[in-house]
Amino acid sequence: MEEATTLDRLPVGARASVTALAAPESQRRRWMELGFVPGGEVAAVQESPWGDPVAYAVCGAVIALRRADARCIAVHRVT
């Protein structure tokens, strides 16, 4: 079963697939270069002690994103 949400709401340990990127073209392009592409899988790996940023596993790498940026990435959580 899948649940629609945004990346900032994905709890540590959960996996999801990216469905859309809601940001200006230059920012979308940068996220896509990092591996956040529609249809791609992402997992929340670790949260900083202060809750921001959060580390995400994507395309064999771990990328830290601020929650404000992660809020612009729509995902379908795999439960």
Side-chain angles (χ1 to χ4, degrees), residues 21-78:
L21 305 171
E25 179 62 30
S26 61
Q27 186 65 47
R28 273 197 317 265
R29 188 173 32 248
R30 178 71 178 132
W31 289 336
M32 290 178 76
E33 289 169 354
L34 291 172
F36 295 95
V37 295
E41 187 174 298
V42 62
V45 177
Q46 184 177 8
E47 186 177 76
S48 76
W50 300 277
D52 199 16
V54 176
Y56 299 97
V58 59
C59 291
V62 176
I63 308 293
L65 288 181
R66 294 177 298 202
R67 287 190 182 273
D69 291 333
R71 193 172 295 121
C72 299
I73 301 174
V75 298
H76 275 272
R77 182 176 172 191
V78 179

Side-chain angles (χ1 to χ4, degrees), residues 1-5 9-11 14-17 75-79:
M1 178 163 191
E2 293 185 350
E3 174 187 329
T5 188
R9 299 184 64 140
L10 192 67
R15 294 180 306 116
S17 68
V75 298
H76 275 272
R77 182 176 172 191
V78 179
T79 56

